Amino acid sequence: MTVTATPSTVRSPAIPIQRIGLGATVLAGIAWILTLPPIMVRTAVPSIVLGIVAAALGTAVLRDPKHRRLGGLAVGLGLIAIPLALAMANQSAANVREVFTWSAVIASGLTFTTPLIFGALGGIISERSGVVNIGLEGMMLMGCYFGIFGADVCHSWLLGIVIGAAAGGLLGLVHAYFSLHLRANQVVSGTAINLLAVGLTGYFFIAQYGDNGTPGTLPQVPNVSVPLLNHIAFVGPAIGAGTNVLTWVGLLLVPVVWWFLFRTRAGLRLRAIGEQPLAASTVGLKVIATRYVAVTVSGMLAAVGGVYLSDGFDGSFNFDMTDGRGFIALAAVIFGKWNPVGALGATILFGFSSALAYRLQTFSQTLGTLFQALPYVLTLIAVAGLIGRSRAPAAAGIPYVKE
Amino acid sequence: FGAGTGSAKMKATKASSFKLGVVTDIGGLNDHGFNHLAYLGLKEAEKQLHIQGEVIPTSSASDYVANLTTAAQHGDNLVVAVGFDFATPLVTVAQAFPNTKFAIIDYDASTILNPKTKKPFKNIEGLDFLSQQSGYLVGYLSGLISKAKHYTTISSVGGQKIPSVDSYIAGYQAGGKAADPKLKFLNAYSNDFADQAKCETIANNQIAQGSKIVFQVAGGCGLGALQAAKQKHAWGIGVDADQGYLGNYVLTSALKKVDVAVVQATRDLMHGKFYGGGNIINSVKTGGAGYGRLNSVAKPYAAQLQKVLGEIKSGKIKNIPTKVK
Amino acid sequence: MSSPGRLRRAGRGALIPLITVVLAFIAGGLVVLFTGHDPFRTYGAIFDGTGLNYLFPWVGGNTRTIAGFDLQQTLLNAAPLILTGLSVAFAFRVGLFNIGSQGQYTVGAVMAVWIGSIFPNMEPVLHIVLAIAAAAVMGAVWAAVAGWLRAVVGTHEVISTIMLNWIAIWVANYLFQAGGPLQSRSQAGNPVSNTIVSNAHLPVIWGNPLLQGLDAGIFISLAAAVAFWALMNRSTLGYEIRAVGHSPDAARAAGISIARSYVTTMAICGVFAGLAAAVDVLGWEFQLSTGDIATSQVGFLGIAVALLGRNTAIGTVFAALLFGALETGTSVRALNSNVFNPELASQLTLIIEGLVVLLVSTDLIAVRLLGLPAKLGWGRPEQTTEGQPPGAADEAAPDPTEALRPEPSL
Amino acid sequence: MTKRFGPVVANDRVDFDLRAGEVHALLGENGAGKSTLMSVLYGLYSPTAGEIHVDGKPVRINSPSDAIALGIGMVHQHFMFIPVMTIAENIVLGSEPVRSGLPLGILDRGTARRRVRELSDRYGLAIDPDARIEDVSVGMQQRVEILRALYRNARILVLDEPTAVLTAQEITELMTVIRRLKEDGTAIIFISHKLGEVLEVADRVTVLRRGRSMGTVPCAGATEQSLARMVVGRDVIFRLDKQAATPGEPILEVSDLHVMDDRGLEAVRGATLSVRAGEIVALAGVDGNGQTELVEAITGIRHPAAGRITVDGTDITGRGVRAADSAGIAHIAQDRRRVGLVLPFTLAENLGLRGYRKPPLSRFGWLNPKAFTALAGRLLSAFDVRGGDADAPAAALSGGNQQKLCIAREIDSDPRLLVAHQPTRGLDVGAIEFVHGRLIEQRDAGKGVLLVSLESEEVRSLADRILVIYEGRIVAEFPPDATEEQLGIAMTGGALTAGTVTAA
Ligand SMILES: Nc1ncnc2c1ncn2[C@@H]1O[C@H](COP(=O)(O)OP(=O)(O)OP(=O)(O)O)[C@@H](O)[C@H]1O
Ligand SMILES: Nc1ncnc2c1ncn2[C@@H]1O[C@H](COP(=O)(O)OP(=O)(O)OP(=O)(O)O)[C@@H](O)[C@H]1O
Ligand SMILES: [Mg+2]
Ligand SMILES: [Mg+2]
């Protein structure tokens, strides 16, 4: 039997255009960093020139419909580089150094990133199995409260993590039960989970800790300094000294989850079930059982992110303390195209720009408030400029009905 | 005591029938800030003055007017509103209940004008605090310690750029300068009074930039700043209430005795004293401002601090700034 | 299109949410019981707290006054929830998930408070209309950004609307903060806006205007619900939107521009959210502080309201009333603190709201309780595969429940 | 064996037996219950009553895993794939090779690939294990389905309408595979609507009608006529009665059209063709040679990269669906469920999809529900759409009726040109008859008809002119009496060397 003819895949000669686009993007990137430490060019001129060149090249690339996104990116980056460079050149060198102390930015960026990593990994696992998990926020919040509660009651941060994860897993189980057995609309169920979690944690918090809040003497998830890293310049101050155990765990989990999804039998099956449950079931896979496990694990992971927030970073619990982080994690899932590595990139972009946003107050107290929007603006630009359309697991959100 | 402009003499009220209402701001009763302190004041008043008290926590903006109204409808003799967010709602409610007395914490009541008469309300008094004095005291302590330990930089974390926060910080910086003129100050705002992670991040930034003492002026959020100080082996300074219970890393706390002020305002009203259209000024002199427990490092400077406190009381130290540059 | 059939269907459609709500209250009651309180007294107190006892003729005297006041607050709370609910529901109908109604509300509120405070002597009606229109337009623009990004670049609206929410909040914070461009002239240093001039206040239709009586905003909300229904079911635009929502490919083949539908739909969502802000700001709030902006939940609750209302106009109205009543009824001032610790009660609100929404997410419980064949399945939320984010596939995935969805009647 | 879905009795006391090494065909109209019967056998549904025996022993098949364990394999009517995964992954899914000696089930992708290649070589099925399912042709997917069953050592193979989507050549090749499997002792159940191939390959035939078995007959001695009578219950006219065409002025003219597909590859590369009034032009070709993109460009759904499309001289190139619509193009979409209809919409709403912008259906942007009802009332009876009233959702209709609904809407728009893309896919004999009748009616009314079909049978019986599309170009033109073989050669790219035809 011969291979069926398909249209040949020869591309029109567009490769140079792509090169131009990439080159322009790189130029724009250089224009960005010239005025920042460690280079610290004290005049805006080179950046402006580079920015204009990048924008011009980008405009040329824009005309090719196939490389519109790349061109747009180059134009955008190039144009933004100009005011950025002007602003930096006008600031005192000391101020600029103070804001862009990269090691410190990385260190505090990691604290923003950590809960998001856990949340995003949880989201990926759930959605890859075909269950949309809007409830990440609520599951994370459960981890926040029960992590603290567990650490307090058991006098052990490790048990705090376990209990926090169990609480999140329990909520995941509820979501799974409604989504899978009761064929609930998963968005609705997830939204409910979020409301429920705020109420439940608030209720238990008041009932348990009353007006005084959580005690200040909890066993907290410790920070660890890695002996070798400690002494390396730049890396040392950034991550070597005193990075939380859970941050390391989170970073480690990214390749682990990736490997699980794409290199193991269970991962292959999970993805198959999330794409075409009916097809998966015709080869004998257990759709419902797999999804149960996935959603529960998802809740547990998100909850560990919550434990990091409460018992790792803050050392205390507060009402609704996740403050939208679960939704940011959800955005990271989509941003990262349901891939752990992509999601890590998204959470890093978000975390580091959050960290930077606080430091930017050094330039202007009044504008400092506006700078707080930086991570959100950057994420929006990055998603629009780089990601574009992303394709969810085909069966995500659709109740699976087995006759 | 008290510098009310419109002080009025009134018939004293019998204790058992006196009703005190406290309407708190959004953020819950255990916000580690005003809400909590006002609530403590209510409890204290119940105990000391044998009155009936009720607390009405606010959970959304639509509660402001409604809660004040409810307290007034309940026949509360004095309704204490916690925080500047009540200024505008009070305008209407004070008109509707001209016979109910209202007090607003940390706000200048003489600026709340009746739109009809264009004059301050006779039934609203302000419970004002000279927080710059508390700030000055803890700043001075920080300066002394910095000088002794050769610290070059100290810092503060504000919850938001508002007068009640800035007066602390301005005082802190002035006090620090007075004790150690070479001292460098960092200051930043979290724009949040609840999310501890935010204040912790800011404090970490400051510590990374060399700050050895972190003064938190951000309520519950600020606990995160203290947490950062603890983790990074810097010193922390608490705010509003005495936060020394958190551990020995807290040098001391800058106090704003809202609880005392609430009790005092209640007692005054029971004795017929009400400063409608004016303010009860709570200061070092009245015991409404000051510093809290000193930890082991700060103890040695107790005498020097007492001296400064006396100087503030006597008016020798005056014109402490209230605005942060 | 036989109307008795439609009526019956509508009746059944209402039955399920109703049963659901009852079930949720039972579940909430168990929570109360579990924590050692008397559920009947608690619910009685919450009921009284909503002011619904005003409707009983035998309630009189001071209780009646208070009940009237509480009922005003219930309706006051419901009015913006109707609108944000509609704002979320409208997007769902085209298969978009508008998490951004909070942000659209925020920018609308900024606009309303700005327009409402800068003209000291404008003609009242004109001023009100101008401020409302400004809020609606601002909300529309903000939402349309997300629609445009989705249509042109393909950015998932779940991401863009979440980001736009936060951007709106921080921009508003910047505007009203101490030293910010729109900060109050009269309240030195405090992060609040100027107050709305009295000419721009919405008239109070019930209760004391000084004490946050019920303003005319509720009529705006109800009118918007009618407009939602008419637009969705009686206009070519709504027909196109529904077609896109159910089947983008079929819609495209019928000459409907998907991109334009997305932008238009989101803009309309933004109008609803902006109106919600106008109703609040011009009706009773009269100023904005940065704290109000940060703590407002109206837009987020709109998601739950829309879902409870199954993305229909009438359903959203009732869901908003329920949520408004719950908020008021469990608000600490209304609850008799002897019956239930008021702080716990407001957490109980959230738990009950969560349970209501959770139970609404599935028809099966109610369907089974009634012994009805699940196959009828009327009353699944009006939603499409596309609208189930963030999994919303760009390709319309075959949906086994497709046939189980209610037929949108013309 | 009986299977009920609520009130619907899909299989009513059906007896069915299968012998080792035989090909047993299953025939029946749409909805007769063939797929249901097989799904029960494969454990997807559980029988309401009755039992199944394998090798004489009664068995319970509660899930596909049970069926697989019993050696039953199934090639589903609607393919069961994970489109984003590779062929190898799809084949091994459910019984994946893993690295031995390591915990956690680490996939052994090398082994998977090798086993798949071995198997495909054995049966002469050339496939690339690393290609993604969604990127390969339907014919290839069909082969993968078979391989998947073989990979699991199926002794009983169910093929549910395997030929519906294949070209003549692919069908021939499939028949070879089936014979080879049969020689190996595999028992095969073969479901098809195409009587010719049933007679060609099957040993015995069982006919289902409305869920009941109409009996089993040996193939030897049966004719197409006799089988058709069993299926439909009446005589079927196979030859279409049609007059010779009297073509008029050209309506549609396409010149040097280039169109990109979704992945940005050039799918149509300089197609030129025309359709005149009063003729049916058929576009024949193997699936995936640019037909879809060409049709989408003509109907305005897809923006062409270059070239020109005119209708009655009006240029509509890249002007979108509305321009094509007002120029008089109607479109019977190939995928009725996804593109042709909005399934949750009512029948009335679906019928309005083409005319809703204009009176009487709407005025000033507001709909007129009465006009919708009136439209539905008229069309549903005129086109004999059964299965629901104007208020019922289109999803509730059977495939044949859904197709009638589409056709009703398109023909009612009184087009100049009717583009019919695979209008009879998956329909039963009776429904096909109806559709063909309508197309000829349109032609006789002086309209132009562009028929795009993968079935050369259909092409030859309907067309007045046959164009062959290959790799995005029109490579040959034939009169209607071209032979199957001529067409087949042209469709696989051999036309130019065959020399018997004129390149268009
Ligand atoms: N999931 C289901 N729920 C309800 N009824 C069903 C279901 N699946 C099938 N049916 C009914 O069973 C009947 C038999 O359907 P089946 O798919 O077996 O037909 P078929 O013979 O395979 O038709 P075709 O030739 O079109 O493939 C249908 O007419 C339909 O009424
Ligand atoms: N989920 C369902 N619920 C109710 N009725 C159904 C369902 N699925 C199918 N039906 C009914 O089954 C009948 C046949 O459906 P089905 O799609 O199997 O038709 P078909 O003739 O096999 O179509 P096709 O030729 O496209 O395969 C329809 O009349 C429809 O009313
Ligand atoms: Mg069928
Ligand atoms: Mg079938």
Side-chain angles (χ1 to χ4, degrees), chain A residues 403, chain C residues 375, chain D residues 3-6 8-11 27-39 45 77-78 160-161 191-193 208 211 398-399 426-428:
Chain A
E403 212 274 329
Chain C
K375 202 175 148 191
Chain D
K3 174 66 192 170
R4 264 191 237 113
F5 297 104
V8 182
V9 183
N11 292 141
L27 284 179
E29 290 186 285
N30 290 136
K34 306 177 296 289
S35 299
T36 306
L37 182 63
M38 293 306 114
S39 298
Y45 297 149
Q77 180 175 5
H78 311 284
D160 194 353
E161 295 194 33
I191 300 177
S192 177
H193 288 295
L208 292 185
S398 75
L427 298 193
D428 67 31

Side-chain angles (χ1 to χ4, degrees), chain A residues 1-11 66 259 262-266 268-269 271-273 275-276 278-286 391 402-403, chain D residues 3 42 44-45 64-65 68 76 80-85 89 93-94 96 105-107 109 124 126 134 137 143 148 152 170 173-174 269 286 288 470-471:
Chain A
M1 197 181 258
T2 55
V3 179
T4 313
T6 49
S8 94
T9 54
V10 181
R11 282 172 181 274
K66 261 190 260 175
W259 181 82
F262 297 104
R263 288 290 178 271
T264 70
R265 175 166 60 187
L268 178 72
R269 292 180 172 187
R271 286 185 292 132
I273 283 166
E275 285 288 340
Q276 290 290 327
L278 198 61
S281 76
T282 59
V283 293
L285 304 190
K286 299 198 166 36
R391 188 164 89 172
K402 187 174 184 295
E403 212 274 329
Chain D
K3 174 66 192 170
Y42 194 62
L44 287 171
Y45 297 149
S65 329
I68 293 168
H76 302 267
M80 295 287 186
F81 282 127
I82 321 295
V84 298
M85 292 187 176
E89 284 173 328
L93 188 67
E96 308 84 347
I106 302 164
L107 287 176
R109 297 187 299 165
E134 61 187 354
S137 69
R143 274 170 260 161
R148 179 155 70 176
R152 290 174 170 70
E170 287 172 325
E173 285 158 9
L174 178 67
R269 317 162 177 208
V286 174
Y470 176 70
E471 295 214 330

Side-chain angles (χ1 to χ4, degrees), chain C residues 103-181:
Chain C
Q104 295 141 26
Y105 174 91
T106 305
V107 294
V110 169
M111 210 58 192
V113 87
W114 183 52
I115 298 289
S117 60
I118 48 169
F119 305 110
N121 297 314
M122 198 187 266
E123 193 59 35
V125 177
L126 189 65
H127 199 172
I128 290 173
V129 170
L130 187 68
I132 292 178
V137 168
M138 193 65 216
V141 168
W142 203 250
V145 171
W148 182 84
L149 282 173
R150 170 70 193 252
V152 176
V153 196
T155 308
H156 205 296
E157 74 282 359
V158 166
I159 303 187
S160 56
T161 53
I162 289 176
M163 298 305 147
L164 285 168
N165 280 345
W166 287 103
I167 295 171
I169 286 174
W170 286 116
V171 168
N173 250 305
Y174 163 73
L175 293 174
F176 298 134
Q177 74 179 348

Side-chain angles (χ1 to χ4, degrees), chain A residues 245-269:
Chain A
V245 169
L246 283 176
T247 302
W248 292 117
V249 173
L251 289 173
L252 206 69
L253 271 179
V254 171
V256 169
V257 172
W258 180 89
W259 181 82
F260 163 79
L261 279 177
F262 297 104
R263 288 290 178 271
T264 70
R265 175 166 60 187
L268 178 72
R269 292 180 172 187

